[in-house]
Amino acid sequence: MHLIVIKIGGNIIDDPAKLSAFLKDFATLDGYKILVHGGGKIATDIGKKLGIEPNYVNGRRITDEQTLNLVTMVYAGLINKNIVAELQAGGCNAIGLTGADGCILPATKRPVKDIDYGFVGDVKSDNINSELINKFLHTGLTPVFAPLTYSAGGLLNTNADTIAQEVAQAMSHHMPVQLVYCFEKKGVLIDAEDDNSAINRITAKDFDELKEKGIISGGMIPKLENAFTAIDKGVESVIIGHADDLHALISGDSGTCIR
Amino acid sequence: MHLIVIKIGGNIIDDPAKLSAFLKDFATLDGYKILVHGGGKIATDIGKKLGIEPNYVNGRRITDEQTLNLVTMVYAGLINKNIVAELQAGGCNAIGLTGADGCILPATKRPVKDIDYGFVGDVKSDNINSELINKFLHTGLTPVFAPLTYSAGGLLNTNADTIAQEVAQAMSHHMPVQLVYCFEKKGVLIDAEDDNSAINRITAKDFDELKEKGIISGGMIPKLENAFTAIDKGVESVIIGHADDLHALISGDSGTCIR
């Protein structure tokens, strides 16, 4: 049996109707699956009401203690547990987790160089407790990860894309893994203005060419670099596409596939 | 091997130094153990900042939708995950759970009679997924329950004392269970003014007599009634005592023991 690791971002989480539609699709997927979710604007909105202003140093977001408490409430509490409840209602036996639960995602607090990012964790697939994830899957549970990891000092804020990638890599020692990034575009676009211009497949050679021509640029470059790293580290395929098309992404009928 | 189910209340959670001391003691307890925690004033404080006022009808606290979101953030996020992280740091392999996770605590939304309590759940030991709790214990995990249960409609606010009692009853089908209620008194007091007047043991007959004489009164009556129910339903012993004395409570050197 193979495993699908799916990441959804803040843009879906911020839209309750879209999130519900996505979770209905996710609940009906066959076989082993894991969901990793990001944050969303809701943490910023609640933070404002609590008088917690986003803290930036040199344009980089800092996780100070107040912000860590805020994201622990919102990511691990409000968002994670409501996703779990909605998946349960859809017949999917979800379990919500942070990296501290079962010490499943041990991380390193990011070392201070030019910037002190605060309570931010870097997670590496080799340290992930993939045995426990495997046990959960074989018990019929579907792990739902909030973007929080753990070090001996406590919880740490961690990028959800990275968690999805590292979990997929770690689990590829146990079974074949497909990694799916759901976002607001239909895939890697040849024409940024045309949402129907998604490339069906992309190889490392294609990527280099498209990057050189300036067709792939901006935030898509690190996304794809991470995807190729995942493939190098044993993940069978990475798919990038629209959250509305989950079933089509997995069957290969939508999105951009990286092998 | 036997199991200890321990409940801590809001008064400990509201005091970070007390909570840390308690968690250090809890982390070092041998054998199978489960922690159930209550809420505390922190939810009310955060609610006030968010403009969520406590909602009372006929003197009874109501869980409206805003309050449910608040307690989901604070109980399942902030409190639960910080307890888990602190236990992990103490060498205890904790996993934070609500009733929705693994559908472990299915509940019934309280029916509307005189009062509509809102999103409040009633949980019964027969419906608890004790098989999954048992699996977690045998995997070396220590479940930490936030006071939230689950019905098909979503999360529900539930009294932590009740969760502890019903979990203890459900688990007594798998192994001998000791149920420990930690609070701010040294046990059932003969003299309400003297914290050193705790009775060492109490039987159903003693309870009836002490109730009649007015020595046991107020909130202690339902606490003890629930303790005797737990014994009737298969729990080996129930201990009521001070959170500072955890090891002494379990060894029988402190607190009031109900058998």
Side-chain angles (χ1 to χ4, degrees), chain A residues 11-243:
Chain A
N11 63 309
I12 305 166
I13 287 161
D14 288 330
D15 184 332
K18 268 194 183 167
L19 179 60
S20 282
F22 172 85
L23 293 175
K24 277 200 179 72
D25 285 345
F26 180 86
T28 60
L29 286 178
D30 285 332
Y32 294 138
K33 55 199 174 185
I34 290 173
L35 184 63
V36 182
H37 64 82
K41 281 182 205 135
I42 188 169
T44 314
D45 292 347
I46 291 174
K48 263 185 202 159
K49 286 187 192 167
L50 293 173
I52 302 169
E53 288 296 325
N55 190 352
Y56 290 90
V57 174
N58 299 339
R60 302 294 192 123
R61 179 80 181 261
I62 305 301
T63 305
D64 54 17
E65 197 181 341
Q66 276 194 319
T67 304
L68 181 65
N69 283 334
L70 174 67
V71 299
T72 302
M73 286 200 293
V74 178
Y75 299 170
L78 191 63
I79 296 174
N80 189 268
K81 296 308 175 186
N82 279 316
I83 287 177
V84 167
E86 215 165 325
L87 287 176
Q88 287 287 353
C92 168
N93 196 7
I95 181 167
L97 299 165
T98 67
D101 299 292
C103 201
I104 208 159
L105 304 176
T108 312
K109 190 165 178 286
R110 189 169 297 170
V112 178
K113 289 179 189 165
D114 302 343
I115 301 175
D116 180 358
Y117 286 92
F119 296 98
V120 168
D122 293 315
V123 62
K124 288 284 158 225
S125 58
D126 290 347
N127 301 325
I128 287 177
N129 191 346
S130 63
E131 296 290 341
L132 185 57
I133 299 176
N134 202 31
K135 264 187 196 159
F136 285 157
L137 294 172
H138 283 91
T139 304
L141 295 166
T142 294
V144 176
F145 285 104
L148 289 160
T149 56
Y150 169 76
S151 84
L155 294 160
L156 295 170
N157 200 357
T158 299
N159 180 279
D161 278 22
T162 309
I163 292 177
Q165 184 194 337
E166 301 289 337
V167 166
Q169 289 170 196
M171 291 310 296
S172 66
H173 297 292
H174 298 272
M175 55 185 99
V177 179
Q178 192 176 33
L179 172 60
V180 181
Y181 284 105
C182 291
F183 75 139
E184 68 285 4
K185 301 275 178 189
K186 290 207 163 181
V188 178
L189 305 181
I190 288 295
D191 174 358
E193 304 299 307
D194 179 6
D195 202 34
N196 292 315
S197 69
I199 324 169
N200 193 248
R201 277 160 179 272
I202 185 168
T203 62
K205 194 164 156 279
D206 300 336
F207 177 47
D208 287 339
E209 283 174 19
L210 291 167
K211 218 170 23 176
E212 211 162 279
K213 287 180 189 164
I215 289 169
I216 293 174
S217 63
M220 189 51 81
I221 292 177
K223 247 192 171 61
L224 282 169
E225 281 170 349
N226 291 340
F228 284 109
T229 303
I231 300 291
D232 284 345
K233 298 243 171 123
V235 174
E236 293 264 306
S237 63
V238 182
I239 297 152
I240 299 178
H242 203 292

Side-chain angles (χ1 to χ4, degrees), chain B:
Chain B
M1 189 116 89
H2 83 299
L3 166 70
I4 308 174
V5 177
I6 298 173
K7 189 257 168 175
I8 50 165
N11 63 310
I12 305 166
I13 286 160
D14 288 331
D15 184 331
K18 269 196 185 166
L19 179 61
S20 283
F22 172 85
L23 293 175
K24 278 199 179 72
D25 284 344
F26 180 87
T28 59
L29 288 178
D30 285 331
Y32 294 138
K33 54 199 174 186
I34 291 173
L35 184 62
V36 181
H37 64 82
K41 282 184 204 134
I42 188 170
T44 314
D45 293 346
I46 292 174
K48 263 185 202 158
K49 287 188 191 165
L50 294 173
I52 302 170
E53 289 295 326
N55 190 353
Y56 289 89
V57 173
N58 299 340
R60 302 293 194 125
R61 180 79 181 264
I62 304 302
T63 304
D64 55 16
E65 196 179 341
Q66 275 194 318
T67 304
L68 181 67
N69 284 333
L70 174 67
V71 299
T72 303
M73 285 199 294
V74 177
Y75 299 169
L78 191 64
I79 296 173
N80 188 269
K81 296 309 173 184
N82 279 316
I83 288 177
V84 167
E86 216 165 324
L87 287 176
Q88 287 287 351
C92 168
N93 196 7
I95 181 168
L97 299 165
T98 67
D101 298 293
C103 200
I104 208 159
L105 304 176
T108 313
K109 190 165 179 287
R110 189 168 298 170
V112 179
K113 288 180 190 164
D114 301 344
I115 300 175
D116 180 357
Y117 286 92
F119 295 99
V120 168
D122 293 315
V123 62
K124 288 281 158 227
S125 58
D126 291 347
N127 300 324
I128 287 177
N129 191 347
S130 64
E131 296 290 341
L132 185 58
I133 299 176
N134 201 31
K135 265 187 196 162
F136 286 157
L137 294 172
H138 283 91
T139 304
L141 295 166
T142 294
V144 177
F145 286 104
L148 288 160
T149 56
Y150 169 76
S151 83
L155 294 159
L156 295 170
N157 201 356
T158 299
N159 181 279
D161 278 22
T162 309
I163 291 176
Q165 183 193 339
E166 300 289 337
V167 166
Q169 289 171 196
M171 291 310 295
S172 66
H173 297 293
H174 297 273
M175 55 186 100
V177 179
Q178 192 176 31
L179 172 60
V180 181
Y181 285 105
C182 290
F183 75 140
E184 69 284 3
K185 301 274 178 191
K186 290 207 165 181
V188 178
L189 305 182
I190 288 292
D191 174 359
E193 304 299 306
D194 179 6
D195 202 33
N196 292 316
S197 69
I199 325 171
N200 194 247
R201 276 159 182 273
I202 186 169
T203 62
K205 194 165 154 279
D206 300 337
F207 177 46
D208 287 339
E209 284 173 20
L210 291 166
K211 219 171 20 178
E212 213 163 276
K213 288 181 189 162
I215 289 171
I216 293 175
S217 62
M220 190 50 81
I221 292 177
K223 249 192 169 61
L224 283 170
E225 282 171 349
N226 291 339
F228 284 109
T229 303
I231 301 291
D232 284 343
K233 298 242 172 124
V235 174
E236 294 265 308
S237 63
V238 181
I239 296 151
I240 300 179
H242 203 292
D244 291 350
D245 306 328
L246 186 59
H247 284 279
L249 291 178
I250 286 159
S251 63
D253 298 322
S254 181
T256 300
C257 181
I258 299 108
R259 267 178 208 273

